[in-house]
C-alpha cells in the first residue's frame, strides 16, 4: 500500500522477535550461533519439503483445481512433519554438541543449558519461518495498491503480519516444549506439539476468512505460552510474586551481575 | 555488536537470495491489473520547445474518475475530496478548453482518453491552424503578407493540442475490452451514491511514461554528445526523426553519379508519405496522406506501359517524401542534397513540379490547382505555370474531373513544393480538393481514417472480396490519377495521340486503398513483399490492421525502414519493375552478375502470389526504385537550433505501461503504522520486564543451580 503499511506490517510481524533477540540473545555470542544454526535447520527442512512438493506438482495434472488443492494440503502436512523432524534432529545434534562443548570449555560448568538451547533454537526456527512467510508480502505492500480489485478482502497485509507474529512466537514455545519433552521422554507432549503445529498450519486453509484462522491460532498461542512457561521452570506462584512485589525485585535485579 | 550486524546481514542475504528466485508473486496479481495495449503520448522536441506529455519517473497515480458531464469536470477540478484524479475522458470532452483547464490544475494526475466514434465532435484536429508555418516558403523576409496564414487559414479547426506541453501522462484507450475492465472497476468502487463522496477503497490507475529529454533539441543533443564522449555506458536522451524517401523515374538514373546530369530535364511528381496525431505511432492519415500516395501510385501504374513504348523527351521523376508533418524533413533533405550536388540530379535539371496534396474529399466537386503567386511575378515562371495548367486542363478532357484555380494572390497550401521554391523558382502546381481551407475536418488526428474518406465496404464480404471491391472513392481517385498521368506525359513532352492509352486501373486503386486504409496483411501485399517478411507473422510489418504513418526514428525492431516506406517501395517494384531469372543469392548481390547493372536498378526478392497448395515461388524483380535518407539537414550540419530546417527529435524512455488497482485511505495506512509501532514498543517493554525478572520467573527447583540466564 505504501511505506507506512510496509513499516507497520514489518513491526507487527517481527516486533516481538526482534525485542527478544535484542534483550536476551544479542549479548551472548554462543546463543547467537545456536540461533543461526536453528534457522539453518529450518531452512533445510523447507528445502526438502519444497523439493518434494515441486516434483509432485510437475507430475500432477495442472488443470485440475481439486487435485492442486489436495496437493497443497499434502505439501503443508509434509512440511510440518519435516520441520518437526528437523527440530528433533537439531535436538540430537545439540545433545552431542553439549558434551563436546563441555570437554572443550575451560570452565567446569556447561556454558549454555538445554533450556536455553530450546528457547534459542525455537526462536531461530521462528525467525526463518516468519521471514519466509511474510517477506514477499511486505515487498508488495510497498507499492501504491492494496489487495481487493479481484474481490479479495482488503485486510490481507495486516492479517498476514499478525499470523506471522503468532507463528514466530509459536515456534519458540514449541521449541521449549519439544526439547523438554524429549529430555523427559514424554512422548505424548511431543505428539501434542506436532499436532498443534499441524492444526495451526491447516487453519490457514480457512483464509480468506481471517477471523477463522487468526482467532484459533491466538488461542493456541496462549495455551502453548502457558505450557512453555511451565516447562521452562515457571509457576503460577512465581508469576504472582513477580507481579506484586515488582519494585523490590526490580531494584535488586538491576544490581545483580549478568 | 558486530555479531548482531553480521548475523542480520547474513539473514537478509539468505532471505533476499531465496526471494529473487521466486517468480512474479501471486500477491502482485491480487493487487494489480496490468493494462497491456497502451497508447501513450510522448515528448517531441524542436529547436526551441518541448511538446507532448511527461510522467514522473515512478509513475503518476490517481483515483479514477470518468469525465462524462460538466459536473464531473467540477468534481475533478475543485470539489472532489480525493485528489489527485486520473481522468477517464469520454471522446466528447477531448478538446482544447478541457485539456487546458486540466493542464493548469494540480489535482489532475493524468488523463486516459477513450477513443471511439460515439460522441465524436463534428471536427477535431490537434494540429496547428497553420501547419509548418516557420519552415515554408512564406516568411517575414519573403512575402510577409502571405506568411503565418495571414491570407488563408488552412486548418481552421486546428486546436493545437499536439503542440502543447503537458506535465502529466495522457494515454489513449483503444481496446474496448480493456476500457470495459476500467469502467467496471470504476462502477464497483468509485461511483457517488446520492451525491456523497465514494468511500475507500477506491479504484486508481497508475501511468508510467517518463521521458528522458527536456527543454529543446539543443539541450538534449548537447547532453547526448556529452554522454557519448565521456561516459563508459553512454545514455542517449533523444533521437532525430528520420526515415527514407522513396523515388523512381521513368528513365533510370545512374545512382552512383551525383550532381548535375547533362541534357536531362526532369518533371517531378511528388506527394507525402507520413502523418501524425496526438498519440505516439497513431496516424491513420487517410485523407491527409493515403489519398496522395494511392493517387501517385496509380499514376505511375498508368504511365509506365506508355513511357516504355514511347518515352517522352523529359524524364519524369516520382518521389514520396517522408516526414513532411514535422517541418518538411524529407523534402528539405532532398533539396539540400540537390544543392550540395549529392543527389542523382540537381535543381538545374528540374523543369517543373506537380505535387499531389489532399485529394480524397473531392466528392464530385472541382480539383483545385494551387500555384505560388510570388514566383509567378517572374514572367518566365508564370508562362511555364500557365503552360502546365493548360496541359492539366486538356488532360481532363473526357474525364469527369472538373478543374479550377484559386485566386491569383492566394499562397500555396503547406506542401513539399514550398521547400523547392525556397531554393529555386521552379514552375509547379499543387493539386488539392480544397480551395481556401482544408476539407479535412480531422487533419492529422486519429479520426482521419477510412470512414473520413467515405471508404466503406458492404457487410458480409470476405477480406479477399473487400480487397478488390471498387468503392466510389476508388473510382474517383482513379479518375484523378488518370488526369495526373496524362498531364505529366504532356508536360514531359509526350505525344497527344498516346494520351488515350493512359488510364489508371480502378482495381489497383481499390487494392491500394484497402491495403493502406483497412488491412495491410492482405494477399496482394503479401505477394509483393519478400518471403522473410511474410513468414514472420504477427511480429513483422504485416501485423493486423491498417498501417500507421508516423515517421518514427531510424532502425526499428522490424527492420531498418518504416513499414509504409517498405510497402511503397515494393509496390513500385511490382508496378514498374521487370522479372528477372536471378537466383536468390544473385538477387542479393547483383554486382557479381555481369548482365545486371546495380547503378541503374535495384533488385528485390519477392514472394510472388500464393498458389493454391500453399507453395510459393519467389522471384527476383529489377526496378529503378531507390530510397534516399530523410533526416533533417540540421543534424548533418550540427545546427540543432536551426530556423531553416526541421529540428524535431523524439525523446527516449525506459518503460511505458499502465495498471489499475485499489487504494486504501490514508487513515488506514497510518493506523497500520500505529499498530505496528505499538506492538514493537509493547514487546520491547514486556521483553525487558521478563528478562530482568527472569531469575524470579523461571526459578523452579528442578534446574541445576549452575544454570545462568
Amino acid at each position: 500500500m505504501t511505506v507506512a503499511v510496509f513499516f507497520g506490517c514489518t513491526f507487527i510481524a517481527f516486533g516481538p522477535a526482534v525485542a527478544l533477540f535484542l534483550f536476551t540473545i544479542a549479548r551472548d555470542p554462543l546463543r547467537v550461533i545456536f540461533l543461526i544454526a536453528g534457522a539453518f535447520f529450518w531452512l533445510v527442512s523447507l528445502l526438502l519439503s519444497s523439493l518434494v512438493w515441486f516434483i509432485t506438482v510437475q507430475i500432477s495434472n495442472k488443470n485440475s483445481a481439486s487435485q492442486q488443492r489436495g496437493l497443497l494440503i499434502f505439501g503443508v502436512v509434509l512440511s510440518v512433519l519435516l520441520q518437526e523432524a528437523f527440530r528433533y534432529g537439531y535436538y540430537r545434534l545439540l545433545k552431542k554438541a553439549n558434551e563436546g562443548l563441555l570437554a572443550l570449555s575451560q570452565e567446569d560448568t556447561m556454558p549454555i543449558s538445554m533450556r536455553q538451547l530450546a528457547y534459542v533454537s525455537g526462536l531461530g526456527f521462528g525467525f526463518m519461518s516468519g521471514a519466509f512467510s511474510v517477506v514477499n508480502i511486505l515487498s508488495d505492500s510497498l507499492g501504491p495498491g492494496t489487495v481487493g480489485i479481484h474481490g479479495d478482502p482488503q485486510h490481507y497485509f495486516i492479517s498476514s503480519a499478525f499470523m506471522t507474529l503468532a507463528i514466530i512466537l509459536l515456534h519458540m514455545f514449541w521449541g521449549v516444549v519439544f526439547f523438554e519433552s524429549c529430555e523427559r521422554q514424554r512422548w505424548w507432549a511431543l505428539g501434542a506439539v506436532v499436532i498443534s503445529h499441524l492444526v495451526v498450519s491447516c487453519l490457514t486453509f480457512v483464509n480468506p476468512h481471517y477471523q477463522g484462522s487468526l482467532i484459533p491460532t491466538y488461542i493456541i498461542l496462549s495455551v502453548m505460552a502457558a505450557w512453555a512457561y511451565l516447562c521452562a521452570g515457571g509457576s503460577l506462584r512465581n508469576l504472582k510474586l513477580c507481579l506484586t512485589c515488582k519494585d523490590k525485585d526490580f531494584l535488586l535485579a538491576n544490581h545483580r551481575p549478568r | 555488536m558486530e555479531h548482531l550486524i553480521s548475523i542480520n546481514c547474513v539473514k537478509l542475504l539468505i532471505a533476499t537470495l531465496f526471494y529473487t528466485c521466486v517468480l512474479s508473486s501471486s500477491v502482485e496479481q491480487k493487487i494489480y491489473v496490468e493494462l497491456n495495449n497502451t497508447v501513450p503520448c510522448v515528448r517531441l522536441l524542436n529547436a526551441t520547445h518541448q511538446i507532448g506529455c511527461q510522467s514522473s519517473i515512478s509513475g503518476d497515480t490517481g483515483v479514477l474518475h470518468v469525465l462524462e458531464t460538466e459536473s464531473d469536470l467540477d468534481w475533478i477540478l475543485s470539489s472532489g475530496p480525493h485528489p489527485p484524479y486520473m481522468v477517464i475522458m469520454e471522446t466528447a470532452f477531448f478538446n482544447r478548453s478541457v485539456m487546458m483547464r486540466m493542464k493548469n490544475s494540480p489535482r489532475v494526475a493524468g488523463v486516459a482518453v477513450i477513443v471511439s466514434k460515439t460522441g465524436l465532435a463534428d471536427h477535431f484536429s490537434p494540429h496547428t491552424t497553420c501547419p509548418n508555418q516557420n519552415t515554408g516558403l512564406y516568411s517575414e523576409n519573403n512575402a510577409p503578407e502571405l506568411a503565418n496564414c495571414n491570407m488563408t487559414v488552412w486548418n481552421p479547426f486546428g486546436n493545437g493540442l499536439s503542440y502543447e506541453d503537458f506535465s502529466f501522462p495522457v494515454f489513449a484507450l483503444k481496446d474496448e475490452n480493456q476500457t470495459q475492465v476500467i469502467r467496471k472497476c470504476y462502477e464497483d468502487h468509485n461511483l457517488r451514491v446520492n451525491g456523497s463522496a465514494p468511500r475507500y477503497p477506491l479504484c486508481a490507475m497508475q501511468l508510467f511514461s517518463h521521458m528522458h529529454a527536456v527543454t529543446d533539441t539543443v539541450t538534449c543533443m548537447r547532453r547526448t554528445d556529452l554522454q557519448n564522449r565521456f561516459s563508459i555506458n553512454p545514455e542517449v536522451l533523444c533521437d532525430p526523426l528520420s526515415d527514407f524517401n522513396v523515388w523512381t523515374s521513368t528513365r533510370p538514373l545512374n545512382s552512383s553519379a551525383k550532381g548535375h546530369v547533362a541534357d536531362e530535364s526532369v518533371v517531378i511528381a511528388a506527394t507525402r508519405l507520413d502523418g501524425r496525431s496526438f498519440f505516439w505511432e497513431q496516424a491513420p492519415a487517410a485523407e491527409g496522406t493515403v489519398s496522395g500516395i494511392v493517387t501517385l501510385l496509380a499514376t505511375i501504374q498508368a504511365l509506365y506501359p506508355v513511357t516504355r513504348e514511347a518515352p517522352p523527351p523529359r524524364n519524369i521523376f516520382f518521389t514520396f517524401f517522408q516526414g513532411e508533418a514535422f517541418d518538411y524533413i524529407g523534402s528539405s533533405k532532398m533539396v539540400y542534397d540537390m544543392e550540395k550536388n549529392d543527389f542523382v540530379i540537381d535543381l538545374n535539371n528540374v523543369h517543373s513540379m506537380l505535387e499531389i496534396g489532399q485529394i480524397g474529399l473531392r466528392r464530385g466537386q472541382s480539383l483545385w490547382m494551387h500555384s505560388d503567386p510570388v514566383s509567378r511575378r517572374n514572367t518566365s515562371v508564370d508562362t511555364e505555370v500557365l503552360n502546365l495548367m493548360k496541359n492539366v486542363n486538356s488532360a481532363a478532357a473526357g474525364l469527369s474531373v472538373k478543374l479550377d484555380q484559386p485566386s491569383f494572390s492566394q499562397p500555396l497550401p503547406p506542401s513539399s513544393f514550398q521547400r523547392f521554391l525556397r531554393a529555386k523558382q521552379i514552375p509547379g502546381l499543387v493539386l488539392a480538393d480544397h480551395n481556401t481551407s482544408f476539407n479535412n475536418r480531422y487533419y492529422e488526428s486519429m479520426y482521419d481514417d477510412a470512414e473520413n474518406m467515405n471508404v466503406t465496404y458492404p457487410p458480409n464480404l470476405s477480406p479477399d472480396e473487400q480487397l478488390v471491391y471498387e468503392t466510389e472513392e476508388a473510382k474517383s481517385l482513379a479518375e484523378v490519377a488518370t488526369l495526373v498521368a496524362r498531364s505529366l506525359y504532356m508536360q514531359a513532352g509526350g505525344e497527344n495521340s498516346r494520351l488515350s492509352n493512359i488510364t489508371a486501373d480502378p482495381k489497383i486503386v481499390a487494392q491500394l486503398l484497402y491495403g493502406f486504409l483497412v488491412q495491410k496483411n492482405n494477399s496482394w501485399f503479401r505477394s509483393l513483399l519478400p518471403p522473410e517478411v511474410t513468414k514472420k507473422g504477427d511480429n513483422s510489418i504485416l501485423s493486423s490492421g491498417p498501417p500507421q504513418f508516423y515517421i518514427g526514428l531510424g532502425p526499428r525492431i522490424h527492420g531498418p525502414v518504416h513499414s509504409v516506406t517498405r510497402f511503397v517501395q515494393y509496390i513500385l517494384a511490382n508496378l514498374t519493375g521487370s522479372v528477372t531469372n536471378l537466383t536468390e543469392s544473385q538477387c542479393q548481390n547483383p554486382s557479381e552478375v555481369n548482365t545486371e547493372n546495380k547503378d541503374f536498378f535495384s533488385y528485390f526478392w519477392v514472394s510472388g502470389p500464393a498458389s493454391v497448395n500453399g507453395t510459393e515461388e519467389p522471384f527476383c524483380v529489377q526496378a529503378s526504385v531507390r530510397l534516399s535518407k530523410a533526416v533533417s539537414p540540421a543534424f548533418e550540419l550540427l545546427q540543432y537550433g536551426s530556423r531553416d530546417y526541421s529540428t524535431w527529435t523524439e525523446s527516449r524512455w525506459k518503460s511505458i505501461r499502465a495498471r489499475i488497482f485499489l487504494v486504501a485511505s490514508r487513515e488506514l495506512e497510518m493506523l497500520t503504522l500505529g499498530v505496528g509501532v505499538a506492538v514493537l514498543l509493547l514487546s520491547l517493554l514486556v521483553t525487558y520486564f521478563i528478562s530482568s525478572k527472569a531469575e524470579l520467573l523461571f526459578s523452579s527447583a528442578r534446574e541445576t543451580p549452575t544454570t545462568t540466564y
Side-chain angles (χ1 to χ4, degrees), chain B residues 246-247 267-273 292-293 295-297 299-300 316-321 324 331 334 352-359 415-417 420 429-431 484 488:
Chain B
V246 187
W247 63 264
V267 177
I268 300 184
T271 189
R272 62 185 287 198
L273 256 188
I293 296 177
T295 309
L296 195 58
L297 286 172
T299 305
I300 295 169
I316 310 178
F317 182 87
F318 301 97
T319 173
F320 297 80
F321 290 119
E324 301 300 279
S331 51
M334 187 175 276
S352 51
M353 183 158 170
L354 184 65
E355 180 168 344
I356 303 181
Q358 304 182 65
I359 52 171
S415 50
S416 320
F417 184 38
F420 280 81
L429 289 178
V430 176
L431 296 176
V484 173
L488 284 172

Side-chain angles (χ1 to χ4, degrees), chain B residues 616-644:
Chain B
E616 50 178 38
E617 290 142 6
F619 52 91
C620 189
V621 173
Q622 174 205 69
S624 60
V625 177
R626 300 271 181 199
L627 297 176
S628 83
K629 192 110 182 81
V631 65
S632 171
F635 294 100
E636 282 182 29
L637 297 167
L638 301 181
Q639 293 168 2
Y640 302 126
S642 165
R643 299 278 165 175
D644 299 323

